[in-house]
Amino acid sequence: MGFYLAQLLTGLANASSLFLIACGLSIIFGVTRIVNFAHGSFYMLGAYLSYTLVTHLSALGALGFWGGVLVSALLVGVIGLLVEVLILRRIYRAPELFQLVATFGILLIIEDAALAIWGAQDLLGPRAPGLSKAVRILGEPIPQYDLALIVIGPVVLGLIWLIFHRTRWGVLVRAATQDREMVGALGVNQALLFSSAFFLGSVMAGLGGALQIPREAVNLNMDLSVIGDAFVVVVIGGMGSVTGAFIAAVLISVLNAFAVLVFPQISLVLPFIVMALVLVVRPYGLLGKPGSEKGAPADPEAPLRPLNPAGRLAMGAVVVILALVPLVSADFTMILLVDVLIAVLFAASLHFIMGTGGMISFGHAAYFGVGAYAAALVVKWLGLSMVPAMIVAPVASGLAALVFGWFCVRLSGVYLGMLTLAAAQIVWGVTFQWQDVTGGDDGIIGVWPAKWASSETAYFYLALVLCAGGVWLLRRAAHAPFGYMLRGIRDSEIRAEAIGVDTRFHQWMAFTFAGTLAGLAGVVSAFAKGSVFPDVLNISSSIDALIMVLLGGIHTLLGPLLGASVFVLIESWVTRLEYWRFIFGLIILGVVLIAPDGLAGALSRLLAFLKARIRPGTDTKKEALHGQRS
Amino acid sequence: MGNVLEVRSLSKSFGGIRAVRDVSFDLKRGEFLALIGPNGAGKTTCFNMLNGYLRPDTGSVKLLGRELVGIPPRKVWRMGVGRTFQITETFRSMTVLENVQMALISHNRRIFDLFSKATALYRDEALKLLELIGMAAQADRPCAELAYGDLKQLELAIALAHDPDLLLMDEPTAGMAPNERIALMQLTADIVARGHVSVIFTEHDMDVVFAHSHRILVLNRGELIAEGTGDEIRANALVQEVYLGGGSLFHEKETAHA
Ligand SMILES: Nc1ncnc2c1ncn2[C@@H]1O[C@H](COP(=O)(O)OP(=O)(O)OP(=O)(O)O)[C@@H](O)[C@H]1O
Ligand SMILES: [Mg+2]
């Protein structure tokens, strides 16, 4: 009995810290509609700052501890405010993808800043004075600090409730959460409202992190490790609902506290499974409202145009040049180019569902990873050779996309994005935990190509054929009725239904199609590296693909090809440097803020500009308006 | 000639609002029927029940003898019912021509084709439809650039693409200039006159209604309060009362609402 109570109390203490992070995220999303990955960074900064402050103020005892915690939270709030004013304010009207990637860029920058300031080693914070012992309840030792957290969570919920219901500002925040246009119409100073909400949300994240120091060592992985769970809580609760976040935090943490008793491996995937189930039953979360999932309305895309002769010639030339590369270059160039080819196919498959289909996927790495793992598994356990493995892999990833896609296409907007993320996290968690089959963290090695393809040159040609073939297939599909109708559904579901289209089924098939081709990229990558590790499935890989699409430009079919190539080249160069995350973050922010139509957009503007210079009188603006080259 | 559509005791409530109550009517082949009524009378709700966007609480809708209730809109469309929307719904990232082509592609059941070039399919048929509604010159313009009135017209071309038996037009002329209205309704009347397709349309502009419709149904607060020819409706005391809030039935101004 006492044991179960102890388990319950641990669960509730975890719920409190989870709630603190998640409620800030939910407030920020509710008001600004930004899916803020940097929230994880604010949490981490809260922990680092309070580590420093509390250690320095330790002479003051309890006052030093709690004072340090509060000051850290406020400092994080100020940092959040700076981020909002300097960066996010400029992208409130941008599509979700931009916001997500931008906040991920901020996350990278903050991570390297923390590395520079606090170093790479784990930092063990001091315990809270007066709360450093355990009390015995029904014979079980319960940390006093856990009991304090159990009280703090509901107290914070109560305070926020008071602010939201008893102050004019709170009422405005709630109104903005429900209906953004209305607040604009009321003549409220929106910028101020957004900034203050962002400040409050960041303070909460900082507080969550600061309060965590007696419980876990402060480290540089705190940002990404917490953000997944925080999103889950926000989504389950209903985006924008603080009370919902509290219920969800308790639900997840308590379930988890007991589930690990039965099945210890489940903790990594449990939150995501709960989220998937909740979203299937309640597409807007427990307390969320319909409409809360929509981001800013997007401008309509220009019609698709077939590649003009010059463009087709250029594409052909690229393929021919690639085919000639082995004649003149060294092995390492070919290895790099194989990486580029894989990335291009991966990004193009993501673009098919995101750009053409308008369905946000924050978890596309799942299908890439399933392809890679399927190949590795059949090689390891069934002893299959490369060619059969290359057939099995896309089929496996297609099946995975078929299963997850069935759930995903029922949702839209941010909820869809979160469900795709959940799917990827579930696959990652299973792979990571299922040591006996997947090798867990150690991955699977010895996934070598067949003899005939084992030289760098031969494998390069194989990769070229498969990846270029995959990209060709995707482009073909985008120009075919299948892809056109997919775009139609993106533009107007009502119209598509009114001309006889089963919109969900169509989107489902598109999701599966793209997943299959991502799996093809995955298997090419597995044999190129000779091994597979769980990190092909993690959030960062999914975000890499998003960055490639964004970098290239979401509105053209050419975008992902350009974006992926440039991404891999930059990555291979930058990651050699010590603070590569910082540089990468800056590049991402640069693209988002300066060239939101990506490289393809910049390129076409450049071409139009040159054309106008060479042939004065051509109307460049009209050219730009008149359709995307694809 | 037999009835294309038979509607019996159709009702729908939203929470406490009884948006449509016990509506019954028939529609003959080749008939041009107007469904009128003040804002909020339940016209759009009625349409949404006729072609499957809403499931009625009670009642039945039979198209050429086949029950439509419970069938989703996409299937109702395949059974021969076209629809235009009060608030236009088009594919804004495509050209005018492509919008019509998509309807044709779907009609020919080729939407899962992965290899053909979509823009090359059914081009001539699509162009013919655009010529019919007088938009051939705009065929290659992106839909997003069109004026609202043009979008309304385009919706008609899309709705005609699968050669429907029944066409439901929800305020086809709202947001159009007066001369455009007359042209569009004249065109619709011409299409009806060929005798194959029947049309039900809702409209706030009474001149349009009286000029073209064969028969008029008047809906008020969800109930059918009158039915008859233009003259009968004009003479109907109950209709006068409903519409007489601000002047004569003949000068009823269209309340702009899109
Ligand atoms: N989805 C809905 N939920 C709740 N109420 C609705 C819904 N759709 C319509 N209504 C209500 O039903 C009634 C009928 O609306 P409907 O749109 O059918 O009217 P209408 O005759 O088309 O009006 P208008 O001329 O303004 O287009 C109105 O009171 C409206 O507010
Ligand atoms: Mg209406």
Side-chain angles (χ1 to χ4, degrees):
Chain A
M1 190 62 231
F3 174 71
Y4 290 110
L5 182 69
Q7 215 52 35
L8 176 68
L9 291 175
T10 312
L12 289 176
N14 290 338
S16 274
S17 43
L18 197 50
F19 164 69
L20 289 178
I21 312 151
C23 79
L25 193 61
S26 199
I27 293 171
I28 289 176
F29 177 84
V31 176
T32 67
R33 293 289 190 275
I34 288 225
V35 177
N36 182 21
F37 258 87
H39 206 70
S41 311
F42 297 153
Y43 168 78
M44 183 180 78
L45 279 182
Y48 271 117
L49 285 169
S50 86
Y51 167 84
T52 302
L53 284 175
V54 170
T55 332
H56 278 86
L57 298 175
S58 58
L60 296 178
L63 184 68
F65 180 85
W66 297 106
V69 164
L70 282 181
V71 172
S72 324
L74 290 174
L75 283 177
V76 172
V78 172
I79 296 171
L81 194 62
L82 282 177
V83 167
E84 196 271 345
V85 170
L86 294 179
I87 301 165
L88 297 181
R89 182 172 286 186
R90 291 161 214 279
I91 55 170
Y92 281 139
R93 303 210 71 80
E96 286 97 347
L97 167 68
F98 286 69
Q99 303 172 341
L100 176 101
V101 169
T103 59
F104 189 73
I106 296 166
L107 176 136
L108 290 177
I109 292 172
I110 293 181
E111 203 170 301
D112 263 359
L115 173 65
I117 299 171
W118 286 283
Q121 73 283 15
D122 286 11
L123 302 176
L124 220 46
R127 296 184 171 251
L131 294 171
S132 57
K133 305 215 170 45
V135 288
R136 289 208 168 261
I137 299 180
L138 296 179
E140 293 287 329
I142 311 285
Q144 290 171 321
Y145 192 70
D146 276 12
L147 295 176
L149 278 183
I150 293 176
V151 176
I152 290 174
V155 166
V156 169
L157 175 65
L159 285 177
I160 293 180
W161 192 89
L162 280 179
I163 294 176
F164 278 11
H165 288 81
R166 293 282 180 272
T167 68
R168 184 181 134 76
W169 181 83
V171 172
L172 284 176
V173 166
R174 280 194 302 140
T177 303
Q178 267 147 33
D179 188 345
R180 268 214 289 184
E181 271 67 44
M182 192 190 76
V183 174
L186 284 177
V188 174
N189 183 341
Q190 260 200 9
L192 200 62
L193 187 68
F194 280 27
S195 300
S196 50
F198 206 91
F199 174 76
L200 179 66
S202 309
V203 168
M204 302 307 299
L207 185 64
L211 287 172
Q212 204 62 6
I213 52 165
R215 302 184 90 210
E216 65 172 312
V218 186
N219 63 72
L220 289 168
N221 297 324
M222 288 176 89
D223 49 1
L224 268 184
S225 66
V226 80
I227 194 72
D229 284 353
F231 272 129
V232 167
V233 167
V234 170
V235 168
I236 292 179
M239 303 200 76
S241 165
V242 173
T243 317
F246 186 79
I247 297 171
V250 171
L251 179 73
I252 291 277
S253 305
V254 173
L255 264 182
N256 192 45
F258 289 102
V260 291
L261 299 178
V262 191
F263 190 32
Q265 288 88 358
I266 201 159
S267 64
L268 275 182
V269 290
L270 181 89
F272 294 95
I273 292 174
V274 175
M275 170 164 107
L277 291 177
V278 167
L279 283 185
V280 169
V281 184
R282 293 188 60 96
Y284 308 104
L286 294 174
L287 300 183
K289 301 236 163 51
S292 58
E293 82 282 11
K294 294 271 187 295
D299 288 334
E301 218 171 60
L304 210 60
R305 299 259 185 249
L307 219 50
N308 60 13
R312 228 171 299 153
L313 209 64
M315 289 285 271
V318 169
V319 175
V320 170
I321 291 171
L322 278 175
L324 293 178
V325 161
L327 302 182
V328 292
S329 82
D331 279 0
F332 70 84
T333 321
M334 275 186 281
I335 294 174
L336 185 64
L337 282 179
V338 168
D339 280 347
V340 169
L341 289 168
I342 293 165
V344 164
L345 177 56
F346 185 34
S349 71
L350 175 62
H351 183 267
F352 192 76
I353 40 177
M354 282 205 37
T356 309
M359 295 181 276
I360 306 173
S361 173
F362 294 161
H364 203 53
Y367 312 104
F368 183 89
V370 166
Y373 264 97
L377 288 172
V378 296
V379 168
K380 180 175 173 186
W381 295 108
L382 303 181
L384 293 192
S385 62
M386 183 186 77
V387 174
M390 282 189 163
I391 295 167
V392 169
V395 173
S397 58
L399 283 176
L402 196 69
V403 172
F404 289 127
W406 187 85
F407 294 98
C408 292
V409 297
R410 260 138 248 278
L411 305 178
S412 62
V414 182
Y415 288 96
L416 165 65
M418 287 299 142
L419 195 57
T420 54
L421 180 70
Q425 288 296 99
I426 290 170
V427 177
W428 174 78
V430 170
T431 311
F432 194 80
Q433 301 274 21
W434 204 4
Q435 205 104 27
D436 298 339
V437 175
T438 63
D441 211 8
D442 300 329
I444 299 174
I445 52 175
V447 192
W448 297 116
K451 220 179 209 109
W452 59 267
S454 59
S455 77
E456 298 300 350
T457 312
Y459 198 77
F460 171 79
Y461 280 121
L462 182 63
L464 180 61
V465 168
L466 290 176
C467 294
V471 170
W472 177 81
L473 207 62
L474 283 162
R475 289 177 55 84
R476 191 84 204 197
H479 282 282
F482 183 63
Y484 257 77
M485 197 51 93
L486 189 64
R487 281 183 341 126
I489 296 167
R490 177 196 68 190
D491 288 356
S492 167
E493 277 191 44
I494 295 178
R495 171 47 68 194
E497 175 84 35
I499 57 170
V501 179
D502 187 340
T503 55
R504 282 214 179 131
F505 185 77
H506 204 91
Q507 289 182 319
W508 187 28
M509 290 303 110
F511 200 90
T512 306
F513 178 64
T516 307
L517 286 160
L520 181 62
V523 68
V524 175
S525 142
F527 281 105
K529 304 215 161 30
S531 57
V532 190
F533 296 98
D535 55 353
V536 294
L537 287 158
N538 65 17
I539 296 185
S540 303
S541 321
S542 290
I543 291 183
D544 282 353
L546 290 171
I547 295 174
M548 294 178 208
V549 170
L550 176 90
L551 193 64
I554 179 106
H555 291 305
T556 63
L557 296 183
L558 215 52
L561 312 190
L562 275 174
S565 312
V566 173
F567 180 90
V568 172
L569 296 178
I570 295 179
E571 194 188 35
S572 74
W573 164 66
V574 162
T575 45
R576 287 181 219 147
L577 309 173
E578 194 182 354
Y579 291 106
W580 65 270
R581 286 186 191 81
F582 192 85
I583 300 172
F584 222 79
L586 285 183
I587 294 175
I588 291 172
L589 287 183
V591 170
V592 169
L593 296 177
I594 300 165
D597 48 358
L599 292 170
L603 202 66
S604 75
R605 266 180 287 153
L606 183 72
L607 283 179
F609 174 75
L610 289 178
K611 231 184 199 164
R613 292 294 289 270
I614 297 166
R615 266 190 293 143
T618 11
D619 189 347
T620 55
K621 202 154 168 208
K622 199 155 175 206
E623 181 78 12
L625 262 177
H626 239 267
Q628 59 189 79
R629 293 267 171 257
S630 52
Chain B
M1 243 189 274
N3 289 330
V4 172
L5 194 70
E6 289 174 0
V7 178
R8 291 292 171 272
S9 350
L10 218 50
S11 300
K12 180 81 191 174
S13 305
F14 296 109
I17 305 168
R18 299 178 63 188
V20 172
R21 310 185 215 180
D22 199 27
V23 165
S24 305
F25 63 91
D26 291 335
L27 181 74
K28 292 198 184 54
R29 185 169 290 281
E31 195 174 20
F32 200 4
L33 179 72
L35 181 63
I36 65 168
N39 288 136
K43 304 179 294 289
T44 300
T45 306
C46 231
F47 270 21
N48 284 341
M49 287 191 286
L50 295 187
N51 74 334
Y53 278 98
L54 277 176
R55 200 193 167 90
D57 297 338
T58 64
S60 114
V61 178
K62 287 214 167 81
L63 177 78
L64 298 166
R66 286 197 287 172
E67 182 62 55
L68 294 186
V69 169
I71 296 182
R74 58 177 181 276
K75 294 202 175 135
V76 174
W77 180 80
R78 293 218 181 270
M79 292 163 77
V81 181
R83 166 92 190 249
T84 72
F85 294 92
Q86 183 170 353
I87 303 165
T88 56
E89 293 284 351
T90 54
F91 299 144
R92 309 216 330 131
S93 76
M94 297 183 199
T95 64
V96 171
L97 186 66
E98 285 163 6
N99 264 275
V100 183
Q101 283 174 293
M102 293 318 289
L104 289 164
I105 286 170
S106 174
H107 180 49
N108 289 286
R109 296 182 184 272
R110 290 187 64 176
I111 57 171
F112 289 106
D113 185 336
L114 282 170
F115 293 102
S116 313
K117 241 176 149 26
T119 47
L121 296 174
Y122 311 109
R123 232 187 118 80
D124 297 339
E125 273 153 280
L127 268 172
K128 244 185 231 136
L129 282 161
L130 287 182
E131 254 157 43
L132 180 70
I133 57 158
M135 283 188 74
Q138 320 229 41
D140 289 323
R141 283 183 70 190
C143 221
E145 290 178 4
L146 292 191
Y148 196 69
D150 289 342
L151 284 175
K152 286 262 170 190
Q153 249 167 302
L154 172 59
E155 283 218 324
L156 176 58
I158 296 172
L160 288 171
H162 72 318
D163 193 18
D165 292 305
L166 169 63
L167 198 54
L168 303 173
M169 302 172 74
D170 201 353
E171 304 202 10
T173 69
M176 283 183 148
N179 57 334
E180 286 180 331
R181 282 177 192 216
I182 293 166
L184 181 74
M185 289 320 284
Q186 184 57 52
L187 172 70
T188 314
D190 292 346
I191 294 168
V192 171
R194 291 183 211 159
H196 172 66
V197 62
S198 320
V199 173
I200 310 181
F201 72 108
T202 72
E203 184 57 69
H204 283 283
D205 183 335
M206 291 305 146
D207 292 337
V208 168
V209 171
F210 290 128
H212 295 292
S213 59
H214 301 160
R215 193 157 57 103
I216 300 169
L217 301 179
V218 187
L219 210 56
N220 186 38
R221 298 177 186 226
E223 281 179 307
L224 221 46
I225 56 164
E227 174 181 349
T229 61
D231 291 336
E232 287 164 1
I233 294 299
R234 261 184 279 231
N236 187 307
L238 201 55
V239 179
Q240 294 276 356
E241 210 180 289
V242 168
Y243 271 94
L244 266 179
S248 128
L249 189 49
F250 308 96
H251 298 110
E252 171 71 17
K253 276 276 166 261
E254 186 225 344
T255 355
H257 67 313

